[in-house]
Amino acid sequence: MRNVVILGSTGSIGMSTLSVLEQHPDKYQVFALTAATQTDKLLQQCLEFKPRYAAMVDVTAAQSLKVQLQQAGSKTEVLAGVESLSYVAAASEADIVMAAIVGAAGLLPTLAAVEQGKTVLLANKEALVMSGELFINKVQQHKATLLPIDSEHNAIFQCLPAAMQQQSHSQAIASYGISKLLLTGSGGPFLTTNLADFDQITPNQAVAHPNWSMGAKISVDSATMMNKGLEFIEARWLFNCQPDDIEVVIHPQSIIHSMVQYSDGSVLAQLGQPDMRTPIAHALAFPERMASPVSPLSFKQMRDFTFTQPDRARYPNLYLAITACQYGQGATTAINAANEVAVAAFLKQQIRFTDIYRVNAASLEQFAQTKVCTLDEILQLDQLARQKAEHFIRKHC
Ligand code: NAD
Ligand code: MG
């Protein structure tokens, strides 16, 4: 029986994780669930999965959860405040930690799990975008096991040679005969939208992804393809490679989830339904396999299977993120922070869809050369870049 902590259990990945765990009560038990503010959903999850702990960032929400759980006769202990997330992630009883908080807020609790040498299932890509080098160093130092959940990175991981899966961070990919990592992306909901209409795109249109059902922030990132840019940076750190080793390919059907090209001419791809419960089940069971609730892929129903190159004018955020990746950790921390601010402002209808790029580009221009090494420096730059992005929005949007 392995004890699982889900950081961000009320989100899209959190709920998909519970849906996989539900099928395997003989293998896993839920040790702790965490959420920011959503009391109702967390209450229902606690009653169903009976974790030892439930941790909430919002103290008032935690108090309300505590009262309701007591009334229902639940034994789950409620913890409150931002530190309580790191506490449950690092608890000695925890074996597996699913890092599924959205944004920079996920960094500290995820690092807390890494520092205790846990098996960390990483969905929270922003953590690696901000702190890639430091994060991977800590994984090695504390002998944590890091398994990618992001569908592209999970697909690449599945296509890697076994030796690299065991220690994917230590040697350059060329030494395993790999020539390229091919990161696929659907192109999002605006793959064929007239560029002249981009200014008028609404939040509802942007979050309506054609293939995947996800949280609001990553859905907007998929529409701008900033998501693929963040994934580019994520891949650079997860697989210890250079920006030149990674290529982005648009594959609108989202059936191939990414590929690995080898020096002998072979290309290995991982295929499946666009359903996160497949990578989640893969990582939970690794190195074994176990059933997930995902329906099998049917080749009888598959029609088109196409590939194109991402257009710079349509997806400027993708190229911005790749440029940031070439600059280094300061640049990627800054654009990640700016992008979180810009996406939140767009979702609140304070800025236009096309302003997201303007905010991000201004941030890169300002912080491209900034050097950050320590966690404190990263967190300080994250805050500063947020303030500058907010200032840019007030002045220029
Ligand atoms: P979501 O918005 O649906 O859920 C986010 C979760 O994080 C919620 O449980 C919320 O309570 C918690 N949270 C939000 N802000 C917080 C804060 N400040 N402090 C603590 N907890 C907080 O997001 P999601 O779509 O599940 O995505 C989660 C992460 O997984 C993101 O980093 C995303 O990029 C990544 N990811 C998601 C998908 C997907 O299909 N949804 C796919 C690949 C990667
Ligand atoms: Mg992805």
Side-chain angles (χ1 to χ4, degrees):
M1 209 42 130
R2 303 190 77 196
N3 274 329
V4 182
V5 174
I6 306 179
L7 300 170
S9 68
T10 53
S12 164
I13 293 286
M15 291 190 295
S16 293
T17 306
L18 287 171
S19 149
V20 175
L21 293 178
E22 205 170 26
Q23 278 207 323
H24 301 282
D26 52 320
K27 292 192 174 80
Y28 307 96
Q29 71 192 13
V30 177
F31 176 72
L33 298 175
T34 87
T37 53
Q38 274 185 293
T39 319
D40 291 354
K41 213 181 257 182
L42 190 55
L43 172 70
Q44 178 237 315
Q45 292 180 342
C46 287
L47 295 177
E48 194 178 339
F49 292 93
K50 302 181 174 53
R52 168 85 179 78
Y53 293 110
M56 294 197 84
V57 179
D58 186 285
V59 178
T60 317
Q63 185 55 31
S64 153
L65 177 71
K66 187 173 174 177
V67 171
Q68 294 182 70
L69 280 172
Q70 275 170 355
Q71 281 167 356
S74 160
K75 292 200 183 90
T76 297
E77 190 177 329
V78 178
L79 306 175
V82 73
E83 312 78 30
S84 66
L85 275 48
S86 295
Y87 175 80
V88 296
S92 58
E93 299 96 322
D95 301 307
I96 300 175
V97 177
M98 166 59 80
I101 291 173
V102 61
L107 177 61
L108 293 181
T110 306
L111 280 181
V114 167
E115 284 167 356
Q116 294 306 314
K118 307 287 185 201
T119 294
V120 177
L121 276 45
L122 187 74
N124 177 218
K125 66 192 80 184
E126 294 91 346
L128 263 191
V129 169
M130 290 171 75
S131 73
E133 190 167 10
L134 177 129
F135 191 106
I136 296 298
N137 285 343
K138 279 190 189 284
V139 167
Q140 287 172 339
Q141 185 189 343
H142 298 283
K143 299 194 168 41
T145 302
L146 184 62
L147 296 169
I149 292 298
D150 213 346
S151 58
E152 297 74 8
H153 307 74
N154 183 272
I156 289 171
F157 184 86
Q158 293 197 44
C159 299
L160 293 177
M164 197 175 160
Q165 288 178 338
Q166 301 307 324
Q167 39 172 312
S168 54
H169 322 293
S170 50
Q171 275 168 271
I173 57 168
S175 66
Y176 295 96
I178 295 172
S179 51
K180 259 206 167 32
L181 304 182
L182 301 167
L183 211 52
T184 54
S186 68
F190 309 124
L191 181 61
T192 55
T193 305
N194 200 329
L195 287 185
D197 297 334
F198 268 42
D199 264 354
Q200 311 303 323
I201 288 170
T202 66
N204 281 342
Q205 290 170 323
V207 299
H209 196 280
N211 306 338
W212 296 93
S213 155
M214 310 180 285
K217 193 257 178 184
I218 183 176
S219 297
V220 176
D221 285 349
S222 300
T224 61
M225 269 189 98
M226 182 62 166
N227 182 51
K228 209 53 55 188
L230 299 178
E231 291 180 352
F232 188 101
I233 302 162
E234 184 185 10
R236 181 248 184 279
W237 292 113
L238 273 176
F239 305 117
N240 189 28
C241 59
Q242 298 304 317
D244 281 352
D245 299 328
I246 312 168
E247 193 177 313
V248 175
V249 181
I250 292 192
H251 166 53
Q253 296 80 19
S254 299
I255 296 296
I256 290 183
H257 298 306
S258 278
M259 303 178 263
V260 176
Q261 189 155 43
Y262 285 85
S263 52
D264 63 5
S266 305
V267 177
L268 301 192
Q270 187 262 357
L271 284 72
Q273 302 281 8
D275 187 321
M276 291 306 293
R277 292 175 301 180
T278 293
I280 291 168
H282 168 266
L284 278 169
F286 183 80
E288 288 164 26
R289 294 272 175 178
M290 70 180 189
S292 84
V294 179
S295 58
L297 203 56
S298 163
F299 284 85
K300 287 186 196 130
Q301 283 162 10
M302 232 181 287
R303 309 236 180 281
D304 299 330
F305 215 53
T306 55
F307 305 92
T308 54
Q309 295 305 303
D311 174 18
R312 264 176 198 271
R314 187 170 295 276
Y315 302 115
N317 282 286
L318 166 65
Y319 292 94
L320 197 70
I322 294 174
T323 306
C325 188
Q326 284 153 349
Y327 276 113
Q329 199 158 281
T332 60
T333 298
I335 61 154
N336 178 64
N339 183 59
E340 282 190 37
V341 170
V343 170
F346 168 68
L347 286 169
K348 283 189 246 158
Q349 294 182 297
Q350 291 165 349
I351 64 172
R352 291 169 301 178
F353 185 74
T354 43
D355 288 333
I356 298 173
Y357 171 72
R358 295 176 59 227
V359 176
N360 294 345
S363 186
L364 182 62
E365 200 176 310
Q366 196 159 11
F367 296 109
Q369 309 283 355
T370 307
K371 295 272 170 277
V372 285
C373 296
T374 66
L375 186 57
D376 275 352
E377 287 167 354
I378 290 168
L379 295 174
Q380 274 173 24
L381 176 58
D382 174 66
Q383 287 306 314
L384 179 63
R386 278 167 204 274
Q387 287 162 15
K388 296 286 182 190
E390 279 157 11
H391 178 75
F392 182 91
I393 288 173
R394 278 195 304 275
K395 252 187 117 185
H396 302 289
C397 295

